[in-house]
Amino acid sequence: QNGQTYPANIIGRDEETDLAVLKINQTNGLVPLPIGNSDSMEIGDWAIAIGSPYGLGNSFSVGVISGRNRDLQSGRFDDFLQTDAAINSGNSGGPLLNEKGELIGVNTAIVANSRGGGSVGIGFAIPSNLVRKVANDIIKNGYVIRGYAGFRARACAPNECNGVVISAIADNGPAAKAGMRVNDTYFQAGQTNITDPRHLARIVSNSPIGSHLRIDGYRGQKR
């Protein structure tokens, strides 16, 4: 905003989330945005987007959080915040803020109309808690560390079960060694109820390497 240009180095990037970490060496008093807790955001909370839509720099739009945990089929760990704050081409990479001015997301995508036009009131942002983890991993290691369990799951069919059904297990992987089997059904991981396969994938990926994760479910009629 002050008209200055700052050289930066790319520290690392994560293709799964389309995020990168850049380091500016000469900040000249620049102050970073405080990072808020995206998990605390509820539907109806105020949301503010700042960006450069169509080259119109420092544009400011206001709306609300209109959805959570959205899956856009863009990656294995999709978990977007949805907002009706106007987001257009040029907003991507800009901040989504709460009413305290804290970063709660990074604007990433929109639903466009049939003619490929601009905002129709449905925009998406990567939650700040995911941004924080990805950034911290890249800064510390140069890449993102994610837990791996070695299984594939599908959603339960209506009246079949609650949670997910295991559909495949990798040979000699952690899940196989722990005794998981195809057609097991699981409804809880740790203290969290499992809502769908991507939800479980996020829980596993966020688990530290080498840690133990308790999962509860059924094999046939036996818990």
Side-chain angles (χ1 to χ4, degrees):
Q1 190 173 4
N2 62 13
Q4 298 297 310
T5 299
Y6 299 90
N9 298 319
I10 297 177
I11 304 301
R13 65 186 74 192
D14 178 46
E15 292 186 1
E16 291 281 5
T17 55
D18 196 25
L19 289 168
V21 173
L22 286 76
K23 182 179 181 180
I24 300 175
N25 295 311
Q26 298 177 343
T27 58
N28 292 341
L30 294 177
V31 179
L33 281 170
I35 299 180
N37 178 11
S38 55
D39 288 345
S40 69
M41 300 303 295
E42 299 180 358
I43 294 174
D45 285 345
W46 289 108
I48 302 161
I50 300 177
S52 183
Y54 303 108
L56 301 171
N58 302 312
S59 291
F60 181 103
S61 56
V62 177
V64 298
I65 298 296
S66 50
R68 293 177 51 89
N69 309 121
R70 296 303 197 198
D71 176 10
L72 304 185
Q73 302 292 316
S74 63
R76 293 182 295 168
F77 308 110
D78 282 9
D79 186 24
F80 292 100
L81 292 175
Q82 179 182 326
T83 180
D84 66 354
I87 294 175
N88 289 286
S89 177
N91 278 106
S92 292
L96 188 69
L97 312 171
N98 61 17
E99 59 186 341
K100 298 178 182 178
E102 298 170 333
L103 179 79
I104 55 166
V106 174
N107 300 322
T108 298
I110 64 171
V111 172
N113 62 40
S114 60
R115 297 183 298 278
S119 173
V120 294
I122 304 177
F124 303 96
I126 304 170
S128 60
N129 287 359
L130 178 56
V131 173
R132 182 189 285 111
K133 179 194 180 332
V134 169
N136 287 343
D137 277 3
I138 290 175
I139 291 169
K140 182 178 179 180
N141 307 297
Y143 55 91
V144 179
I145 295 176
R146 293 184 170 94
Y148 167 78
F151 65 83
R152 186 174 300 156
R154 64 170 176 82
C156 291
N159 302 319
E160 180 182 21
C161 59
N162 293 317
V164 300
V165 181
I166 302 303
S167 57
I169 296 179
D171 293 338
N172 299 317
K177 293 177 181 178
M180 292 176 66
R181 299 179 187 173
V182 172
N183 293 324
D184 286 352
T185 63
Y186 291 100
F187 60 87
Q188 191 174 65
Q191 301 298 316
T192 304
N193 291 330
I194 301 167
T195 56
D196 59 67
R198 286 181 178 270
H199 184 206
L200 180 55
R202 291 194 297 270
I203 293 173
V204 171
S205 69
N206 289 332
S207 299
I209 302 298
S211 65
H212 289 79
L213 175 67
R214 171 175 169 145
I215 56 175
D216 288 81
Y218 288 90
R219 179 168 298 155
Q221 299 300 314
K222 183 179 179 181
R223 180 160 177 172

